[in-house]
Amino acid sequence: MRLTRWQKWLLVIVALGGLLWLFDRWRLWQENAHDKTIAAAARKYGVDPALIKAVIWRESRFDPKARGRRGEVGLMQIMEPTARDWAKAENRTLVFHTELFDPQKNIECGTWYLRRLLLRYPQTDNPLPYALADYNAGRANVLKWLNGPAATNSAAFVQAIGFPSTRAYVIAVMERHAHYRKTWRPPKS
């Protein structure tokens, strides 16, 4: 039996639809693969699990093998100095920075660090944008952007962020955080 031209196109469209459906299922599975680890780290360090998930979404799109240009690794894109500080604070031995490709260690370290950053800005109306900018661009840059109203007003601070990529990062994570708070329920385990 010979297929007509429109039948061939229909077959291609159905095949592409199936591939897109499979890709969407895989992406959803990947996005939820570390939920128990996220929930455990959130409980341990007192950080909103939706925030942790939003940071992971932005940093690595849930790829535990992700590598950054400046040596960041894993789900939360952890730098080696941060890993050493975490290991010391938690009385853990961290032999190699590459151990942070382990999702549990990476999420614990990243959550510990995120908690530290959130506690760094208690004088503000909302420490979240300050902590996210710090996570992305570093403390020295955040201190440069803390002028006038930006010192205590988070909306003014977001506008004062000097790097467009960091401003976009902060806005994207905050939007995704709000999304996860509405749509995602972390496991209780």
Side-chain angles (χ1 to χ4, degrees):
M1 179 171 105
R2 194 162 162 88
L3 296 177
T4 64
R5 187 174 183 179
W6 72 268
Q7 288 173 322
K8 289 177 186 176
W9 276 110
L10 183 61
L11 188 61
V12 167
I13 291 169
V14 169
L16 285 175
L19 288 173
L20 287 173
W21 180 83
L22 284 172
F23 175 75
D24 189 55
R25 296 293 101 201
W26 173 80
R27 189 190 54 75
L28 187 60
W29 170 82
Q30 189 176 21
E31 186 172 348
N32 296 319
H34 306 291
D35 286 357
K36 287 183 181 179
T37 305
I38 291 169
R43 281 191 301 278
K44 182 174 183 176
Y45 295 109
V47 175
D48 181 358
L51 175 59
I52 300 166
K53 191 163 180 144
V55 168
I56 293 170
W57 167 81
R58 182 60 178 83
E59 290 289 344
S60 67
R61 293 297 199 259
F62 303 98
D63 178 5
K65 295 184 184 342
R67 288 182 179 269
R69 290 188 310 253
R70 294 185 184 101
E72 315 91 337
V73 298
L75 290 166
M76 295 186 79
Q77 293 293 277
I78 304 299
M79 299 284 290
E80 192 167 353
T82 303
R84 281 195 307 267
D85 290 348
W86 167 72
K88 184 177 178 184
E90 295 290 309
N91 294 318
R92 298 178 81 139
T93 56
L94 188 67
V95 180
F96 298 107
H97 181 57
T98 55
E99 288 180 53
L100 289 172
F101 286 112
D102 171 11
Q104 182 178 355
K105 286 180 183 174
N106 192 283
I107 291 170
E108 275 196 33
C109 179
T111 303
W112 170 84
Y113 185 58
L114 196 53
R115 175 65 179 176
R116 247 177 79 182
L117 298 180
L118 288 165
L119 293 173
R120 207 177 251 179
Y121 304 98
Q123 76 285 3
T124 63
D125 64 333
N126 177 8
L128 185 55
Y130 300 87
L132 291 173
D134 198 330
Y135 196 98
N136 181 260
R139 175 104 169 128
N141 288 310
V142 170
L143 292 175
K144 283 190 257 181
W145 302 325
L146 286 173
N147 295 319
T152 57
N153 181 299
S154 59
F157 173 75
V158 170
Q159 295 309 310
I161 294 173
F163 301 154
S165 61
T166 298
R167 187 178 318 110
Y169 173 90
V170 168
I171 292 167
V173 173
M174 289 176 55
E175 287 173 354
R176 195 63 166 199
H177 176 230
H179 167 75
Y180 284 138
R181 288 191 77 160
K182 287 183 207 167
T183 63
W184 177 66
R185 294 290 163 251
K188 298 287 184 206
S189 67

